[in-house]
């Protein structure tokens, strides 16, 4: 185990090796054991482009056709990542990766990476070097550092996992793109729309993959609901309902400067409505209030809310309703329901076990639902990591793209605007405020700004983006 300043250790190619097939089978078996272990663990909380818009794909108004959204398929592609074999991947391409950030999420991803076939972590970083050293030792990573740029510029690294605090994501994405690295980034891409567009376009210009960590899309419960929608098991969708309620409110310091309840909490549920609807939304109505921690009422905008509700309209009259609250006395409450023309499908909360208790005055689950997000979504975090590994090894499209991250931010921004102005807000209003003089030089226009020369408002976020690397490959065929 060496810091980056030390000489590089012997490469794997200089050591005795098992056959490629043996290695793949061992890693696949290890991954299954890892998923089994973590699944049972109960963690506790300790363009506008100047002269003309850059268009990727068909141009259409937001809310009338889909952009960057694949219809649900009969079977989930994510499960295949858990059973990759030498034959399926070809067993010829070894991907070497680095991880930025060795906090809770970084360690979850790092643990999954070490079990994924044909993917090897070679360096990790964390500002507190002792954390990077501990992570490297725990997962057998040969090098560690306190500087994220050591990971980004490492010539041995093919792809980078960005698990750092949100305010660093955009610049680290741009730096990775400039160094030709494929990227997995925890949401959000950035904390504002212009920088989000810049970061995505930096990747698209460089021709590198960008996957965004919206982990609920990989949860088996939500996946099953999506499959039911695709297979018309409940007929045509009429209504989608989602609730997200945390076990306890975060501290004041977390809420202050966090962007508000729509950006830091409801964004997951808003994205899930789009994921389940399989369409782009039209408009939104949102409200918020404070019931739990009165101290946050002194904050600005939606940071003063600990409770919020949204109604989202989709094409064909489909309605989606979201409610979020920062406190739930009975544990982490994460449920979904879809009503269709011939039935309904819903999910329950996830419990640490299936034990039931039967007493004269009580009948029900012996224990409360999981009360920590890593417990609830551990399998989803692991599955999304393996899905990106599979995309790297097989050079296939990533399952959760930059446009997905951009639209999630657009939806939360529109919700914030709706609550502030007490009205329905069309998503194209938010998109139309972004102006890019160049693909990686964007700004947000204020209502009283003079339109820049050559400004052409757009209504579809795709028009702000260059084609991504997978779109470029399709176009080149």
């Amino acid at each position: 185990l060496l810091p980056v300043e030390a000489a590089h250790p012997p490469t794997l190619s200089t050591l005795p090796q098992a056959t490629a097939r043996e290695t793949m089978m061992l890693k696949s078996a290890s991954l299954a054991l890892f998923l089994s272990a973590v699944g049972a663990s109960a963690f506790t909380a300790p363009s506008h482009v100047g002269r003309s818009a850059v268009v990727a794909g068909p141009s259409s108004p937001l809310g009338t056709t889909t952009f960057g959204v694949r219809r649900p398929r009969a079977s989930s592609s994510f499960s295949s990542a858990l059973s990759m074999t030498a034959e399926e991947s070809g067993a010829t391409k070894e991907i070497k990766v680095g991880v930025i950030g060795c906090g809770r999420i970084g360690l979850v991803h790092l643990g999954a990476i070490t079990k994924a076939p044909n993917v090897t972590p070679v360096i990790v970083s964390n500002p507190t070097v002792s954390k990077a050293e501990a992570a490297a030792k725990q997962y057998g990573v040969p090098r560690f550092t306190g500087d994220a740029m050591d990971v980004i510029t490492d010539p041995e690294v093919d792809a980078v996992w960005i698990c750092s605090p949100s305010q660093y994501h955009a610049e680290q994405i741009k730096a990775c793109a400039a160094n030709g690295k494929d990227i997995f980034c925890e949401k959000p891409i950035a904390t504002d729309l212009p920088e989000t567009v810049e970061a995505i376009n930096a990747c698209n210009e460089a021709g590198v993959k960008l996957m965004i960590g919206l982990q609920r899309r990989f949860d088996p419960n939500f996946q099953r609901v999506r499959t039911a929608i695709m297979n018309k098991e409940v007929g045509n969708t009429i209504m989608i309902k989602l609730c997200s309620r945390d076990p306890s409110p975060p501290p004041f310091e977390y809420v202050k400067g966090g962007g508000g309840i729509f950006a830091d909490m409801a964004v997951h549920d808003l994205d899930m409505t789009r994921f389940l609807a399989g369409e782009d939304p039209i408009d939104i109505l949102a409200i918020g209030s404070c019931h739990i921690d009165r101290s946050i009422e002194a904050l600005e905008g939606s940071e003063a809310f600990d409770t919020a509700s949204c109604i989202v309209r989709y094409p064909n009259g489909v309605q989606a309703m979201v409610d979020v609250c920062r406190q739930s006395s009975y544990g982490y409450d994460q449920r979904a329901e879809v009503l269709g023309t011939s039935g309904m499908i819903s999910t329950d909360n996830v419990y640490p076990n299936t034990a039931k208790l039967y007493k004269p005055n009580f009948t029900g689950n012996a224990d409360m639902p999981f009360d920590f997000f890593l417990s609830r979504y551990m399998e989803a975090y692991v599955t999304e990591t393996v899905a990106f590994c599979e995309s790297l090894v097989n050079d296939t499209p990533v399952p959760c793209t930059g446009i997905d991250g951009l639209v999630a931010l657009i939806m939360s921004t529109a919700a914030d605007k709706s609550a502030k102005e007490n009205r329905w807000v069309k998503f194209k209003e938010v998109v139309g405020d972004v102006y890019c003089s160049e693909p990686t030089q964007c700004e947000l226009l204020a209502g009283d700004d003079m339109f820049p020369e050559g400004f052409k408002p757009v209504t579809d976020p795709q028009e702000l983006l260059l084609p991504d690397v997978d779109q470029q490959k399709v176009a080149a065929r």
Side-chain angles (χ1 to χ4, degrees), residues 269-281:
D269 303 276
L270 293 170
D271 173 69
M272 185 51 58
T273 68
R274 178 173 175 257
F275 182 66
L276 296 178
E279 299 277 2
D280 285 315

Side-chain angles (χ1 to χ4, degrees), residues 135 150 214 290-291 367 387 395 403 416 429 444 465 473 477:
D150 290 337
L214 292 164
C290 182
H291 299 269
D367 294 299
D395 193 21
I403 189 68
D416 204 278
E429 293 180 42
L444 198 63
L465 303 178
K473 289 176 181 177
R477 289 172 186 165

Side-chain angles (χ1 to χ4, degrees), residues 444-459:
L444 198 63
L445 299 178
D448 57 352
D449 278 352
M450 293 290 292
F451 287 160
E453 183 178 354
F455 174 72
K456 179 184 177 182
V458 300
T459 56

Side-chain angles (χ1 to χ4, degrees), residues 248-256 264 293 295-296 299 326:
S248 58
F252 180 90
E253 292 73 21
Y254 173 89
V255 178
K256 184 179 181 180
D264 76 1
D293 181 4
S295 69
I296 67 172
L299 299 176
R326 294 198 186 275

Side-chain angles (χ1 to χ4, degrees), residues 38-276:
V38 298
S41 300
F43 282 73
T44 54
S47 110
H48 306 31
V49 175
R51 294 156 296 283
S52 61
V54 177
V55 180
S59 174
S60 58
L62 180 63
T64 59
T65 61
T66 56
F67 49 81
V69 183
R70 293 185 182 87
R71 287 287 187 176
R73 290 176 287 184
S75 61
S76 170
S77 64
F78 308 135
S79 61
S80 67
L82 307 184
S83 57
M84 275 198 299
T85 64
E87 289 81 8
E88 289 169 341
S89 70
T92 58
K93 189 176 182 182
E94 184 77 17
I95 302 295
K96 296 183 178 180
V97 306
V99 176
I100 297 173
C102 295
R104 296 178 302 192
I105 295 300
L107 293 181
V108 169
H109 287 296
L110 183 57
I113 293 167
T114 60
K115 305 299 187 295
N118 280 12
V119 180
T120 304
V122 295
I123 184 172
V124 296
S125 75
N126 198 82
T128 304
V129 182
S130 59
K131 286 188 175 183
E133 182 177 12
K137 183 177 181 180
Q138 180 179 354
Y139 292 104
V141 181
R143 288 174 284 126
F144 63 89
T145 178
D147 189 348
M149 287 304 297
D150 290 337
V151 177
I152 294 170
T153 59
D154 191 307
E156 193 178 12
V157 169
D158 301 304
V160 175
W161 263 253
I162 298 176
C163 305
S164 54
S166 299
Q167 62 265 34
Y168 302 113
H169 288 182
E171 286 305 314
Q172 289 173 349
I173 288 173
K174 293 174 185 177
C176 286
N179 283 273
K181 314 297 187 186
D182 293 316
I183 305 149
F184 176 97
C185 183
E186 274 294 332
K187 74 89 187 166
I189 299 171
T191 54
D192 65 56
L193 289 171
E195 198 167 27
T196 298
V197 174
E198 290 176 355
I200 297 171
N201 278 334
C203 296
N204 296 347
E205 278 190 337
V208 299
K209 293 181 183 291
L210 173 64
M211 177 166 164
I212 304 304
L214 292 164
Q215 92 283 354
R216 294 189 192 184
R217 291 175 172 234
F218 298 83
D219 176 77
N221 299 289
F222 294 130
Q223 277 285 317
R224 182 62 184 90
V225 174
R226 176 172 167 150
T227 299
I229 294 170
M230 194 277 319
N231 289 340
K232 300 290 185 182
E233 293 179 52
V234 295
N236 295 322
T237 300
I238 297 172
M239 186 179 299
I240 299 168
K241 289 185 177 181
L242 292 157
C243 78
S244 182
R245 302 160 190 167
D246 287 348
S248 58
F252 180 90
E253 292 73 21
Y254 173 89
V255 178
K256 184 179 181 180
I261 196 168
F262 302 110
D264 76 1
M265 187 175 180
V267 62
H268 285 289
D269 303 276
L270 293 170
D271 173 69
M272 185 51 58
T273 68
R274 178 173 175 257
F275 182 66
L276 296 178

Side-chain angles (χ1 to χ4, degrees), residues 11-25:
T11 64
L12 292 176
S13 63
T14 66
L15 301 175
Q17 295 289 296
T19 67
R21 178 177 174 81
E22 289 170 342
T23 301
M24 290 287 290
M25 293 180 68

